[in-house]
Amino acid sequence: MRIKIAPSLLSADFSRLEEEVKEVERGGADLLHWDVMDGHFVPNLTVGPSVIRCLRDRTDLPFNVHLMIEHPEKYLGRFVEAGGDIVTVHVETCRDLRRTLSSLRRMGAKAGVALNPETPLSSVEGVVEEVDLLLVMTVHPGFGSQRFLKSTLPKLRRAGRLVRERGLDLDLAVDGGISVETAPLAVRAGANLLVAGTAIYGQRDRALAIRRLREAACSTG
Ligand code: DX5
Ligand code: ZN
């Protein structure tokens, strides 16, 4: 299975964002992960569509926009228009998840859904056919550099089984605390897409960090 790597810009140097994006593109990243936080759903604030739009024509990498915001349905159009190729909403924030996912697809974006560590897989089982990316959070969202929560692995394994049993065509992603140590655990449990902030942008040589992460992920035996 090919493993996809999505560097999270949350840990990048925002004073040189263009260079940070280009470095991981040259280093073999598969997509770019933008963390959008609203200070309500999570206790932190980050960027909005205007920053994402500024970088859109500086790279060919697909943009995965991870919306950690309340009422995401109000803002989908703005994030798609700013360049979001795959837009991920949190199931905990959606009053009508099926509708939110279908409006994303109607806008021409791929539809992602994320689950907090405590949120059960059953909350998305009824809509997985409408999902392009299923994100199992492996930390509590809000901040980078947190410890990977091993308690999320059983859910990840169940998600992997669901994908195989139903023959779903989606990326099974993990986000939070992904490193050369934890990537193999996530991949063995079924993940094929690794979001990593600190493990990539915390290293001086981002290309080397991506290569090491990919090697670790692929050496799961
Ligand atoms: C956490 C964000 C993550 C974060 C991961 O709320 O969703 O994308 O950037 O950072 P690391 O890889 O440092 O745990
Ligand atoms: Zn994220």
Side-chain angles (χ1 to χ4, degrees):
M1 181 180 37
R2 179 171 154 74
I3 302 298
K4 297 181 190 173
I5 300 207
S8 159
L9 288 164
L10 191 61
S11 307
D13 177 353
F14 273 67
S15 70
R16 47 190 293 278
L17 213 42
E18 179 177 0
E19 195 42 44
E20 293 282 58
V21 168
K22 288 184 168 160
E23 261 181 58
V24 297
E25 182 169 27
R26 286 194 295 268
D30 296 280
L31 57 164
L32 207 64
H33 184 89
W34 290 93
D35 286 300
V36 176
M37 307 188 188
D38 68 350
H40 291 277
F41 178 61
V42 289
N44 197 2
L45 287 159
T46 55
V47 299
S50 50
V51 176
I52 296 173
R53 185 182 305 111
C54 286
L55 273 294
R56 185 54 287 183
D57 68 348
R58 308 300 163 100
T59 174
D60 292 327
L61 287 176
F63 282 179
N64 172 209
V65 179
H66 178 190
L67 294 180
M68 287 161 273
I69 63 175
E70 303 278 9
H71 306 295
E73 65 284 350
K74 286 190 193 167
Y75 306 97
L76 300 178
R78 275 182 255 182
F79 283 101
V80 172
E81 182 267 326
D85 298 287
I86 311 167
V87 177
T88 303
V89 295
H90 267 263
V91 58
E92 304 84 5
T93 64
C94 292
R95 292 179 61 171
D96 188 341
L97 180 59
R98 184 180 294 277
R99 192 168 168 177
T100 301
L101 296 172
S102 69
S103 39
L104 274 171
R105 283 181 162 180
R106 237 188 353 263
M107 290 173 193
K110 290 190 172 177
V113 63
L115 279 72
N116 275 346
E118 294 76 18
T119 305
L121 187 64
S122 56
S123 61
V124 294
E125 268 170 3
V127 296
V128 277
E129 269 81 10
E130 326 293 327
V131 169
D132 299 295
L133 185 155
L134 177 58
L135 172 59
V136 173
M137 289 304 296
T138 42
V139 297
H140 293 106
F143 299 92
S145 300
Q146 300 183 72
R147 259 174 91 101
F148 179 88
L149 296 172
K150 284 192 181 158
S151 56
T152 59
L153 285 171
K155 179 167 63 183
L156 189 58
R157 274 193 288 274
R158 283 197 297 279
R161 264 202 306 275
L162 185 72
V163 170
R164 283 193 304 278
E165 282 168 10
R166 296 205 198 164
L168 301 170
D169 179 22
L170 57 76
D171 283 315
L172 185 51
V174 283
D175 183 5
I178 297 299
S179 65
V180 288
E181 285 82 29
T182 58
L185 304 177
V187 170
R188 223 175 287 141
N192 73 300
L193 197 170
L194 307 174
V195 177
T198 311
I200 293 171
Y201 283 112
Q203 302 289 317
R204 191 183 295 273
D205 186 339
R206 279 73 195 260
L208 182 63
I210 291 173
R211 203 157 62 235
R212 290 212 172 121
L213 205 52
R214 201 183 288 287
E215 276 166 15
C218 295
S219 67
T220 55

